[in-house]
């Protein structure tokens, strides 16, 4: 059975049969929601020699809420890529989704680890976010490679802007969270660039506006629940 979080060089780069895809989807869904995905890269660290201090209670609470939102974003990213890959026929397109999903596996594991360190928790609505994003991924992938990749470009651009805003809001003393968010932001820019090079087209303005509105609902809710 293929797996999106397999190491490079595995058969996750091949679309495989529909049965293989569905089995991989079920496996990854369970691991995504249960916290069973593990990072293939070490957790990003603050620059050597950076001065830090213990977080105050209010800072710890704010960081926990922001990292919970980021964790939800990675839940959605897993579901989006899994949904798009489920209907992808082109091996090159499937390989792109597989590589991006491996990076998102890292992000998900890093965010979950940081939540534990902050004595915080994931969103209680994670299954709902996952189901909605999976459906969007299947729909986006059904419109063909160029629009599917365009959906990736727009999604990653919005995520990059979102992470940039979190870097402004995270406490300056929270070097650990900031290091994770910085690396995530860099990876998302790379995903958008790769999707553009593969032929992703700009989505119609109403679609982009709808995606932004849905993202605001998700992030606003996940901040508290």
């Amino acid at each position: 059975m293929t797996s999106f979080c397999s190491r490079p060089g595995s058969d996750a780069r091949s679309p495989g049969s529909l049965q293989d895809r569905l089995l991989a989807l079920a496996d990854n869904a369970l691991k995504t929601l249960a916290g069973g995905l593990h990072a293939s890269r070490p957790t990003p660290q603050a620059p050597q020699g950076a001065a830090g201090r213990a977080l105050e209670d209010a800072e710890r609470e704010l960081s926990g809420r922001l990292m919970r939102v980021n964790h939800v974003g990675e839940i959605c990213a897993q579901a989006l890529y899994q949904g798009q890959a489920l209907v992808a026929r082109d091996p090159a397109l499937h390989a792109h989704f597989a590589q991006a999903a491996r990076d998102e596996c890292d992000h998900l594991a890093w965010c979950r680890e940081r939540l534990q360190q902050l004595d915080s928790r994931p969103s209680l609505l994670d299954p709902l976010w996952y189901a909605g994003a999976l459906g969007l991924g299947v729909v986006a992938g059904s419109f063909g490679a160029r629009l599917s990749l365009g959906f990736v470009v727009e999604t990653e651009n919005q995520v990059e802007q979102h992470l940039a805003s979190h870097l402004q809001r995270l406490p300056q003393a929270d070097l650990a969270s900031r290091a994770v968010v910085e690396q995530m932001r860099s990876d998302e820019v790379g995903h958008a660039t790769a999707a553009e090079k593969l032929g992703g087209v700009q989505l119609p303005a109403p679609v982009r506006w709808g995606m932004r509105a849905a993202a605001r609902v998700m992030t606003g809710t996940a901040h508290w629940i």
Side-chain angles (χ1 to χ4, degrees):
M1 180 177 64
T2 61
S3 173
F4 281 159
C5 290
S6 302
R7 299 298 180 263
S10 75
D11 62 355
R13 291 181 176 273
S14 172
S17 69
L18 178 60
Q19 182 179 9
D20 283 343
R21 297 186 196 197
L22 290 173
L23 287 172
L25 175 63
D27 178 64
N28 279 282
L30 289 172
K31 290 178 179 178
T32 297
L33 295 173
L37 297 180
H38 302 286
S40 61
R41 293 177 289 172
T43 303
Q45 303 294 322
Q48 190 173 7
R53 60 170 174 78
L55 297 178
E56 298 177 0
D57 289 344
E59 293 175 324
R60 180 176 294 274
E61 181 178 0
L62 174 59
S63 288
R65 292 187 186 279
L66 294 177
M67 293 306 292
R68 176 162 62 242
V69 171
N70 292 332
H71 182 265
V72 166
E74 298 308 322
I75 291 281
C76 291
Q78 278 295 311
L80 283 168
Y81 283 127
Q82 289 165 16
Q84 288 176 288
L86 182 65
V87 295
R89 299 294 182 184
D90 183 351
L93 186 61
H94 190 274
H96 168 78
F97 291 138
Q99 179 56 56
R102 275 191 287 272
D103 291 341
E104 303 296 353
C105 288
D106 292 346
H107 299 175
L108 189 64
W110 296 341
C111 286
R112 193 175 187 90
E113 177 186 43
R114 188 59 187 145
L115 281 174
Q116 294 171 346
Q117 294 169 349
L118 291 165
D119 296 322
S120 190
R121 58 165 176 78
S123 170
L124 300 176
L125 301 178
D126 277 351
L128 177 63
W129 307 131
Y130 181 91
L134 179 65
L136 283 175
V138 171
V139 171
S142 298
F143 282 99
R146 288 171 63 81
L147 283 176
S148 184
L149 289 165
F151 188 83
V152 172
V153 173
E154 181 61 27
T155 298
E156 298 292 19
N157 285 340
Q158 290 188 22
V159 170
E160 189 273 332
Q161 295 169 11
H162 160 81
L163 293 174
S165 73
H166 273 202
L167 287 172
Q168 296 179 342
R169 296 180 61 192
L170 279 167
Q172 291 296 322
D174 190 357
L175 302 181
S177 294
R178 297 179 70 83
V180 168
V181 173
E182 284 277 15
Q183 183 59 56
M184 289 167 55
R185 181 186 178 193
S186 176
D187 288 344
E188 308 303 4
V189 171
H191 296 164
T193 300
E196 285 181 331
K197 289 181 178 179
L198 284 173
V201 297
Q202 186 178 56
L203 300 181
V207 176
R208 300 199 305 272
W209 299 337
M211 291 171 64
R212 291 191 181 98
R216 283 196 292 271
V217 171
M218 183 271 287
T219 56
T221 303
H223 188 86
W224 301 102
I225 302 176

